[in-house]
């Protein structure tokens, strides 16, 4: 079995402003940096074999802070990118209530396919290891939904710098 520590990146400037970030780079704000440093302290004594992150800046930055006490590099993958919100990207989230979704939003089946691909990728590259992966709220929810064979709505939202531990094996891919 492979242990996957699934982490959501630290708070960003746009999180605090309630802006739909999607696949934009984003940047951690002071709170996000504090969250990442605090989690880094808690995870410093946890044995971890590999650190992986979405290739978006906010996740890479969080992962680098978490990997620093371990003296390890961070590998990035676009499989961990946040959901592509298409035309909603950059918009104020409360303003989106009741709006018709544009056709360019990444579909749930496509998102869940990417989640399955990520789990398969982890198993292929890190079999039997302990992997800490820094992703985003919605892709992390999709990964958990696929892993636990649940609907996305049945997976609790992750807060910034929250960690969830998953034991993954071949049956999930």
């Amino acid at each position: 079995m492979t242990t996957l520590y699934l982490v959501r990146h630290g708070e960003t400037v746009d999180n605090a402003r309630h802006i739909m970030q999607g696949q934009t780079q984003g940047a951690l704000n002071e709170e996000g940096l504090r969250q990442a440093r605090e989690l880094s302290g808690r995870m410093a004594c946890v044995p971890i074999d590999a650190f992986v992150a979405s290739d978006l800046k906010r996740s890479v930055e969080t992962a680098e802070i978490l990997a620093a006490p371990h003296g390890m590099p961070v590998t990035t993958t676009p499989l961990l990118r946040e959901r592509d919100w298409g035309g909603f990207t950059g918009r104020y989230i409360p303003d989106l209530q009741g709006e018709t979704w544009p056709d360019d939003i990444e579909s749930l089946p496509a998102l869940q396919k990417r989640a399955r691909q990520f789990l398969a990728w982890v198993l292929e590259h890190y079999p039997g290891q302990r992997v800490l992966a820094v992703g985003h709220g919605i892709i992390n929810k999709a990964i958990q939904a696929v892993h636990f064979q649940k609907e996305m709505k049945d997976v609790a939202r992750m807060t910034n710098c929250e960690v969830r531990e998953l034991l993954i094996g071949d049956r999930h891919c």
Side-chain angles (χ1 to χ4, degrees):
M1 282 293 196
T2 298
T3 302
L4 178 64
Y5 297 102
L6 193 59
V7 177
R8 182 178 175 204
H9 62 77
E11 184 181 81
T12 67
V13 172
D14 283 344
N15 286 149
R17 292 175 39 216
H18 305 286
I19 302 297
M20 186 70 79
Q21 293 175 99
Q23 294 189 358
T24 61
Q25 292 297 324
L28 298 182
N29 62 16
E30 285 303 315
E31 176 63 10
L33 290 168
R34 185 201 64 74
Q35 291 168 336
R37 287 190 297 266
E38 190 270 331
L39 179 57
S40 178
R42 289 195 340 253
M43 298 297 288
C45 294
V46 175
I48 298 171
D49 300 305
F51 288 83
V52 176
S54 153
D55 60 351
L56 299 176
K57 181 182 179 200
R58 58 195 189 263
S59 289
V60 173
E61 193 174 8
T62 301
E64 287 173 343
I65 292 168
L66 299 176
H70 299 267
M72 296 180 70
V74 174
T75 300
T76 61
T77 176
L79 293 172
L80 266 178
R81 280 186 176 189
E82 182 57 293
R83 186 178 192 180
D84 183 350
W85 287 105
F88 279 175
T89 302
R91 303 240 345 249
Y92 184 59
I93 293 169
D95 287 349
L96 302 176
Q97 292 276 344
E99 282 206 27
T100 302
W101 283 34
D103 292 335
D104 60 352
I105 291 178
E106 183 177 14
S107 70
L108 282 181
L111 183 69
Q112 290 170 325
K113 178 181 179 184
R114 195 156 47 87
R116 280 190 295 282
Q117 289 171 332
F118 172 72
L119 290 170
W121 181 85
V122 168
L123 288 172
E124 177 185 343
H125 290 88
Y126 306 103
Q129 296 184 47
R130 295 166 303 246
V131 179
L132 186 144
V134 181
H136 307 267
I138 304 300
I139 186 63
N140 284 4
K141 185 179 260 213
I143 289 165
Q144 293 171 83
V146 166
H147 174 73
F148 293 114
Q149 300 174 352
K150 291 183 170 186
E151 296 291 323
M152 295 255 311
K153 65 180 178 55
D154 296 327
V155 176
R157 176 183 183 274
M158 289 182 77
T159 58
N160 293 106
C161 277
E162 181 179 344
V163 182
R164 296 201 182 150
E165 183 178 338
L166 285 68
L167 296 176
I168 60 174
D170 293 330
R171 69 179 180 85
H172 301 291
C173 298

